[in-house]
Amino acid sequence: MMTRRMARRGGLVLGAVSLVVAGRTGAGEPSAVAVPPPEAPVLASPESVQAIARRVVPVVEKIRGHAFRRTVPVIVETDSVARTHFAARIDEIETPATIHAMEVGYAQLGLLPPGTELRRLYLDLLEEQAGGYYDTKRDVFVILGDMPAALAPILIAHELTHALDDQWFGIDSTLAGLGPDDDRQAAFDCVVEGSGTVVMSKFIVDAMAAGTLGMNALTEFQQSDAARAERLRAAPAYVQRSLLAPYVAGMSFLMRGDPTALIGAVAAADLDRAFRHSPATTEQVLHPEQYWTDAETPGARPVPAFDAAAVLGPGWQKEFDGVLGELTLAVLTDPEPKDLETLLATPGASLTNPAAAGWGGDRWWLCRNGAAFATVLGTLWDTPKDAAEFAAALAKRPALHCERQGDAVAVVAGVPAAQ
């Protein structure tokens, strides 16, 4: 949904992701590639960043299994310049009307606190978390000048992976070809950020094995990351999980759910397949076996439209519609906040739950009657049992009016009938 779409290559670098992976897999066996050590205590100049990048490039190429087709410029920017870039990116992707519709609809469903300003919240989180980003429009990698040098090679490895994937697979053109399906776009975001996180984590594992990255550097990295996570920890569960999922669930998906996969060589062919034939839903990302063991990747079942006036009463009209997917419905059915460490360490268990599993498709509509709004959510499930589990989980939300028929569940929020 919107927060995920706004997050595309926004520059969130969650160092704890790599630390968790490194801690679970161990250093493993070093690759034949020499990993460059940090250069200086601080990033003093663009020249120092470019020097680090030149030495990271062959490492990324070796891990990812592809060579750069052209050089990617590396530039240094300030936090304020980066925020301006992120704001422009948001405005390019989402109209104010779309953002407003999601703020209202998500609040009525209970995914966001009433009055949440998503655009501002997301920009604030980027300001806190961002260390750099890959700009697909300019084909440049940007690193923020206040990043410590110990972090720079790791950050550069992540973002240069995006540049490499873009040169080979065309990230923005692939997104454009997916159409308006929010959940499918979110699944592809997991491929993009998952690829960057896999390569970055393998970079760390190899550096630890080669002795060019010690535990003191990792501790400093972790402490710096924790200090920059105050806003993320306080964010609504939906926003928090949506921002983390592309990194942690995307990485787990590309490793086929095997956390020990980083000990050996990265399965570049799997990453290539996911870019060429992206997962159709976040359900496939959260349950990797559904993608990797099936010959085809089916999408969601279409949810029938409805007559707003017949369901809600005279004067109601549909104004906006979208898809939530299993990732978001998992928040709807399990809204309790989770600590970041749990989300990072166990993405499969933390980002979904039995009440959201068995998802077969959904669509939600924001409806309007003058100044009043209502939200209608239609869901389809693999079995009537799955539908019953979803409906039972929503019983904890008294503001939602829920009706089940077989393998379908309809939800209405925001009107007196929904009380």
Side-chain angles (χ1 to χ4, degrees):
M1 297 314 301
M2 181 187 67
T3 318
R4 294 198 296 262
R5 292 198 308 233
M6 291 195 303
R8 289 179 203 144
R9 287 154 311 287
L12 285 177
V13 178
L14 303 172
V17 174
S18 295
L19 296 181
V20 168
V21 171
R24 283 187 297 164
T25 64
E29 297 181 4
S31 70
V33 180
V35 180
E39 292 238 335
V42 294
L43 292 175
S45 67
E47 290 75 20
S48 65
V49 176
Q50 292 164 2
I52 296 172
R54 283 193 296 270
R55 295 181 358 184
V56 170
V57 161
V59 185
V60 169
E61 291 178 324
K62 178 69 175 181
I63 295 173
R64 184 60 184 85
H66 289 295
F68 281 93
R69 292 173 167 171
R70 58 187 177 275
T71 301
V72 180
V74 182
I75 62 177
V76 179
E77 287 183 353
T78 64
D79 289 354
S80 61
V81 172
R83 185 180 177 106
T84 299
H85 164 81
F86 298 142
R89 182 69 172 172
I90 291 172
D91 295 340
E92 175 189 344
I93 294 171
E94 307 290 1
T95 66
T98 297
I99 295 175
H100 176 260
M102 292 181 176
E103 290 169 344
V104 174
Y106 282 21
Q108 290 189 334
L109 289 172
L111 291 167
L112 290 174
T116 299
E117 297 181 24
L118 275 175
R119 184 180 184 276
R120 176 181 295 179
L121 174 59
Y122 183 69
L123 285 174
D124 288 345
L125 286 168
L126 279 177
E127 185 176 37
E128 175 188 72
Q129 291 287 309
Y133 58 91
Y134 170 63
D135 188 336
T136 56
K137 298 267 183 214
R138 295 183 291 167
D139 191 20
V140 300
F141 162 51
V142 177
I143 189 169
L144 302 188
D146 57 0
M147 288 295 102
L151 174 58
I154 301 169
L155 173 58
I156 290 172
H158 183 105
E159 299 300 336
L160 284 182
T161 303
H162 291 332
L164 186 58
D165 288 336
D166 190 40
Q167 289 183 11
W168 279 84
F169 303 104
I171 292 174
D172 277 357
S173 61
T174 299
L175 277 168
L178 297 179
D181 187 327
D182 303 317
D183 192 51
R184 185 160 196 163
Q185 292 181 3
F188 182 67
D189 290 342
C190 291
V191 174
V192 174
E193 293 300 345
S195 177
T197 307
V198 166
V199 173
M200 177 177 69
S201 299
K202 179 61 173 172
F203 182 97
I204 291 177
V205 169
D206 286 354
M208 292 176 64
T212 57
L213 184 66
M215 288 306 300
N216 58 335
L218 288 179
T219 300
E220 180 183 350
F221 187 16
Q222 191 174 38
Q223 291 173 342
S224 172
D225 208 63
R228 292 185 295 117
E230 182 178 352
R231 288 174 179 166
L232 183 61
R233 292 180 186 279
Y238 161 72
V239 174
Q240 189 181 85
R241 295 186 210 176
S242 296
L243 289 174
L244 288 171
Y247 298 88
V248 293
M251 179 178 180
S252 179
F253 165 74
L254 292 173
M255 296 194 305
R256 302 192 180 212
D258 179 8
T260 67
L262 291 179
I263 295 177
V266 168
D270 282 356
L271 275 61
D272 291 352
R273 171 182 165 181
F275 273 99
R276 292 192 178 102
H277 307 286
S278 65
T281 64
T282 56
E283 179 187 40
Q284 291 179 332
V285 173
L286 294 168
H287 306 278
E289 68 282 357
Q290 294 189 15
Y291 176 88
W292 296 109
T293 61
D294 292 340
E296 298 181 357
T297 55
R301 292 157 55 195
V303 176
F306 74 101
D307 185 327
V311 172
L312 300 174
W316 286 96
Q317 294 182 334
K318 290 180 285 189
E319 186 169 272
F320 181 87
D321 67 282
V323 178
L324 297 181
E326 181 176 339
L327 180 62
T328 300
L329 291 179
V331 183
L332 191 65
T333 53
D334 180 22
E336 295 302 318
K338 303 178 186 295
D339 62 85
L340 296 185
E341 290 70 26
T342 298
L343 289 169
L344 293 169
T346 57
S350 301
L351 292 172
T352 191
N353 57 72
W359 175 89
D362 76 72
R363 184 160 292 275
W364 71 277
W365 294 266
L366 182 69
C367 303
R368 184 168 187 164
N369 187 350
F373 292 94
T375 301
V376 176
L377 167 66
T379 65
L380 298 175
W381 300 88
D382 293 343
T383 67
K385 179 177 180 292
D386 294 323
E389 290 175 344
F390 175 70
L394 295 190
K396 297 177 290 187
R397 293 181 175 273
L400 303 182
H401 176 69
C402 181
E403 293 186 3
R404 181 177 75 87
Q405 291 186 351
D407 64 356
V409 179
V411 180
V412 180
V415 294
Q419 301 301 316

